């Protein structure tokens, strides 16, 4: 695993999200929505909605869900699975580590989506 600095812990409050671009395995930028859930937990999910191809970090965060601002699809931050139509395909979820005040994300190995 190669974790990269995504943000600082004080950059986001509960139920907030931000877009970061991290270096992918091939060197191409990977757009990631770094999200803090209602309980203060950290998540990293692909920033690109699987239905509308728009930024999820611009959407509303409620509990452990992020809502796409364009068509209202909601994704579970823990699994990447859509829980609200029109999206039917999951988005990648990435491992997050909090090291002191640094939030690190590993885009090399997305977490497997549970069935």
């Amino acid at each position: 695993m190669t974790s990269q600095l995504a943000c600082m812990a004080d950059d986001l409050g509960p139920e907030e999200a931000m877009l970061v671009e991290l270096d992918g395995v091939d060197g191409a930028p990977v757009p990631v929505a770094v999200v803090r859930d209602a309980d203060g937990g950290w998540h990293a999910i692909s920033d690109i909605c699987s239905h509308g191809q728009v930024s999820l970090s611009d959407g509303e965060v409620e509990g452990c869900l992020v809502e796409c601002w364009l068509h209202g699809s909601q994704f579970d931050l823990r699994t990447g699975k859509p829980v609200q139509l029109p999206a039917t395909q999951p988005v990648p979820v990435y491992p997050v580590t909090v090291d002191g005040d640094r939030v690190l994300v590993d885009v090399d190995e997305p977490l497997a989506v549970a069935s």
Side-chain angles (χ1 to χ4, degrees):
M1 274 203 258
T2 308
S3 294
Q4 301 173 58
L5 178 64
C7 66
M8 303 304 284
D10 61 358
D11 288 343
L12 292 174
E15 297 191 311
E16 291 185 343
M18 69 185 293
L19 166 64
V20 298
E21 287 194 350
L22 301 175
D23 295 328
V25 176
D26 60 1
V30 177
V32 176
V34 177
V35 185
R36 201 155 187 199
D37 67 27
D39 295 327
W42 290 93
H43 305 274
I45 189 168
S46 172
D47 191 56
I48 307 301
C49 176
S50 62
H51 171 261
Q53 303 298 304
V54 298
S55 178
L56 290 175
S57 60
D58 290 335
E60 296 291 321
V61 178
E62 186 174 327
C64 276
L65 301 175
V66 63
E67 182 175 311
C68 177
W69 62 268
L70 186 59
H71 296 116
S73 294
Q74 293 180 331
F75 297 88
D76 187 311
L77 294 169
R78 298 161 294 197
T79 65
K81 287 185 173 185
V83 297
Q84 176 69 38
L85 295 173
T88 59
Q89 296 299 309
V91 294
V93 173
Y94 305 104
V96 177
T97 305
V98 178
D99 181 18
D101 60 349
R102 301 174 344 131
V103 179
L104 308 169
V105 175
D106 182 0
V107 295
D108 293 347
E109 296 285 334
L111 298 171
V113 176
S115 43

